[in-house]
């Protein structure tokens, strides 16, 4: 994350003075996909790639925002009807609105920002952007009165209310709560969390980016969520205590099989199994059993591909290559519909896996995948 670049652009673009600089990371997720909005467990960690923003109040009631990467400049007011058209600016606008709704007296400011989380790669570039501004506005205009969980919820509500994605809490949580060297197991129902130092001796975590971005990812994502809610509504009629798929087991789902579509059944089946897999992986990690961790990752990929149907040809291909190369664990990461696989690879297999994945992917799809080594890093913070 390049602070100097952001600072020099801020100085150049505005009145020559400086403000304060804030940063928030993207995230990986070892296991637990599409479980967050089902009240289940997730197991993310923040990464060393994220967003950096310089911010300074400007004494007006308007935000002047410059996206360094897109070379795009937007001005907007802070009332509900002032929503900007540019999608990148809607994230900042949404965060301002959500902070205002929580009693923070947000005023106009100048800001310039840039990022190095690849967009649309399933590493939560948007959560990084939201957390950066939520954290910063809380310090600048809110005297730090909003707690960290609420800052994560500001980002999530921004997605829901201003960007059309009914996401869970995982990405924003990881971006705010990240800690260098640790993954975080979060119970998305109780919001209890636990840091797990993650330093698998003899293994590496690496992301292989298919560079596929699906246009309709947000509507497909919302549709998955609806399937889960449909299944829950039916199960609830027989088991009134059930609030989320987290509260269900396969025999409860079986009872309503004829009352829901085959598609909704498959979606719910995947989620119920995936929630259990997170717990299994945590148990395995406690005893250093990386073979089991890896096996569960492959199971997740299979479920995301065949039951939840959020994989794609390129990601299935990368998963197959990993398997053929003897990689310990591999699966599509994040919401799906494109983006990366996350791979747990033995040190001695790393080079051959990467060159194999690059060569065979390029031979099949005519372009090279990107490769990112995972460095588990700290969450939202003030830099300068
Ligand atoms: C996206 C969402 C998260 C989560 C994942 C899938 O990243 O923003 O809330 O649902 O997909 O696990």
């Amino acid at each position: 994350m390049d602070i100097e670049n952001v600072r020099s652009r801020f100085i150049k673009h505005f009145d020559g003075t400086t403000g304060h600089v804030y940063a928030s990371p993207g995230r990986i997720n070892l296991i637990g996909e599409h479980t967050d909005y089902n009240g289940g467990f997730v197991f993310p960690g923040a990464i060393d790639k994220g967003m950096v923003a310089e911010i300074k109040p400007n004494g007006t009631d308007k935000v002047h925002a410059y996206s360094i990467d897109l070379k795009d400049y937007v001005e907007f007011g802070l009332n509900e009807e002032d929503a900007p058209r540019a999608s990148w600016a809607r994230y900042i606008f949404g965060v301002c609105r959500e902070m205002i709704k929580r009693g923070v007296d947000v005023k106009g400011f100048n800001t310039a920002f840039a990022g190095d989380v690849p967009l649309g790669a399933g590493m939560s570039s948007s959560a990084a952007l939201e957390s950066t501004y939520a954290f910063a506005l809380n310090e600048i205009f809110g005297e730090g009165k909003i707690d960290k969980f609420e800052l994560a919820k500001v980002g999530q509500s921004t997605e829901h209310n201003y960007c059309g994605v009914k996401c869970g809490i995982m990405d924003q949580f990881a971006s705010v709560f990240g800690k260098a060297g640790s993954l975080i197991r979060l119970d998305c129902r109780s919001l209890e969390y636990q840091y797990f130092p993650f330093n698998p001796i003899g293994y590496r975590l690496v992301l292989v980016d298919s560079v596929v971005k699906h246009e309709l990812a947000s509507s497909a994502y919302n549709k998955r969520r609806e399937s889960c809610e449909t299944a829950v509504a039916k199960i609830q009629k027989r088991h009134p205590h059930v609030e989320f798929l987290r509260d269900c087991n396969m025999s409860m789902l079986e009872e309503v099989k004829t009352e829901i579509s085959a598609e909704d059944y498959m979606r719910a089946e995947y989620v119920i199994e995936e929630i259990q897999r997170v717990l299994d992986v945590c148990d395995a990690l406690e005893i250093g059993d990386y073979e089991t961790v890896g096996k569960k990752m492959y199971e997740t990929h299979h479920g995301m591909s065949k039951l939840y149907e959020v994989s794609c040809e390129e990601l299935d291909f990368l998963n197959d290559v990993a398997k053929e190369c003897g990689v310990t664990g591999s699966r599509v990461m994040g919401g799906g519909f494109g983006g990366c696989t996350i791979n747990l690879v033995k040190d001695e297999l790393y080079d051959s896996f990467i060159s194999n994945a690059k060569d065979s992917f390029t031979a099949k799809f005519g372009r090279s995948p990107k490769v990112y080594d995972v460095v588990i890093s700290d969450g939202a913070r003030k830099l300068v």
Side-chain angles (χ1 to χ4, degrees):
M1 289 187 259
D2 188 352
I3 309 171
E4 290 317 314
N5 177 32
V6 172
R7 175 135 279 187
S8 67
R9 297 308 178 96
F10 184 86
I11 291 172
K12 197 165 155 206
H13 205 84
F14 297 108
D15 58 8
T17 62
T18 57
H20 289 293
V21 183
Y22 295 85
S24 286
R27 60 108 189 87
I28 53 143
N29 185 28
L30 186 63
I31 198 153
E33 240 37 287
H34 294 275
T35 48
D36 55 357
Y37 53 83
N38 286 300
F41 297 94
V42 291
F43 206 14
I47 54 174
D48 61 338
K49 297 178 175 34
M51 292 287 172
V52 177
E54 179 136 12
I55 302 175
K56 186 178 187 190
N58 60 19
T60 75
D61 56 1
K62 295 253 179 335
V63 174
H64 303 165
Y66 183 58
S67 163
I68 296 169
D69 299 326
L70 299 173
K71 299 188 177 54
D72 196 13
Y73 176 74
V74 168
E75 287 186 14
F76 55 82
L78 290 162
N79 297 315
E80 200 60 30
E81 62 275 16
D82 295 327
R85 283 229 200 103
S87 57
W88 64 265
R90 290 182 78 90
Y91 290 108
I92 303 175
F93 173 78
V95 170
C96 293
R97 289 297 310 157
E98 292 298 333
M99 295 298 279
I100 291 168
K101 288 178 202 168
R102 286 160 177 81
V104 175
D105 191 17
V106 178
K107 299 269 194 278
F109 56 89
N110 297 341
T111 183
F113 74 96
D116 58 0
V117 207
L119 302 179
M123 290 183 229
S124 300
S125 51
S126 56
L129 188 58
E130 291 148 8
S131 304
T132 303
Y133 282 94
F135 189 91
L137 298 184
N138 188 35
E139 285 211 343
I140 297 172
F141 298 107
E143 293 154 2
K145 69 179 175 195
I146 308 285
D147 72 33
K148 281 169 85 179
F149 262 118
E150 204 55 37
L151 291 180
K153 287 184 189 163
V154 162
Q156 184 191 23
S157 305
T158 297
E159 298 278 352
H160 287 205
N161 300 331
Y162 299 94
C163 309
V165 183
K166 299 287 178 200
C167 65
I169 192 72
M170 170 170 72
D171 304 348
Q172 293 79 10
F173 170 82
S175 185
V176 172
F177 283 81
K179 180 166 152 185
S182 287
L183 297 177
I184 325 166
R185 188 182 71 190
L186 172 68
D187 178 335
C188 298
R189 189 174 56 188
S190 68
L191 296 184
E192 278 165 3
Y193 63 97
Q194 191 184 344
Y195 288 102
F196 277 69
F198 186 76
N199 180 25
I201 309 281
Y203 293 84
R204 285 165 78 168
L205 267 186
V206 59
L207 306 181
V208 183
D209 184 357
S210 66
V211 207
V212 174
K213 295 184 181 73
H214 279 226
E215 290 294 319
L216 295 173
S218 54
S219 60
Y221 180 95
N222 294 346
K223 211 161 161 259
R224 296 300 181 282
R225 184 168 183 154
E226 279 165 26
S227 286
C228 297
E229 287 165 0
T230 303
V232 167
K234 291 287 180 199
I235 296 171
Q236 230 167 26
K237 292 208 171 121
R238 292 158 191 258
H239 304 276
H241 74 279
V242 163
E243 204 187 331
F244 294 107
L245 279 178
R246 155 81 178 277
D247 309 315
C248 304
N249 55 36
M250 280 306 292
S251 67
M252 289 157 122
L253 179 62
E254 211 54 44
E255 289 168 6
V256 300
K257 190 167 187 172
T258 55
E259 298 167 28
I260 57 178
S261 68
E263 194 176 274
D264 291 349
Y265 178 89
M266 289 193 317
R267 308 296 191 241
E269 179 185 359
Y270 161 77
V271 170
I272 291 170
E273 290 170 355
E274 179 72 354
I275 291 172
Q276 185 56 44
R277 276 192 285 268
V278 184
L279 299 176
D280 294 345
V281 160
C282 290
D283 289 346
L285 274 182
E286 298 220 12
I287 53 168
D289 176 4
Y290 295 106
E291 289 307 311
T292 299
V293 173
K295 191 169 150 265
K296 296 288 163 191
M297 291 170 75
Y298 280 113
E299 286 174 17
T300 295
H301 186 88
H302 185 263
M304 286 179 83
S305 177
K306 302 292 182 279
L307 298 176
Y308 221 61
E309 296 181 300
V310 294
S311 185
C312 61
E313 195 192 349
E314 290 85 347
L315 290 165
D316 287 346
F317 181 83
L318 288 171
N319 188 257
D320 286 342
V321 173
K323 216 175 279 168
E324 282 155 22
C325 292
V327 168
T328 306
S330 175
R331 65 177 195 81
V332 45
M333 188 183 75
F337 314 106
C340 296
T341 58
I342 178 167
N343 303 274
L344 180 66
V345 194
K346 282 202 176 110
D347 284 342
E348 61 269 26
L349 287 179
Y350 181 88
D351 290 341
S352 64
F353 166 53
I354 295 303
S355 70
N356 229 303
K358 280 188 176 163
D359 292 351
S360 55
F361 190 93
T362 308
K364 182 154 169 80
F365 298 107
R367 60 196 158 73
S368 182
K370 293 192 176 140
V371 174
Y372 307 104
D373 286 312
V374 172
V375 180
I376 302 171
S377 307
D378 285 327
R381 60 203 181 273
K382 184 178 183 178
L383 298 178
V384 185

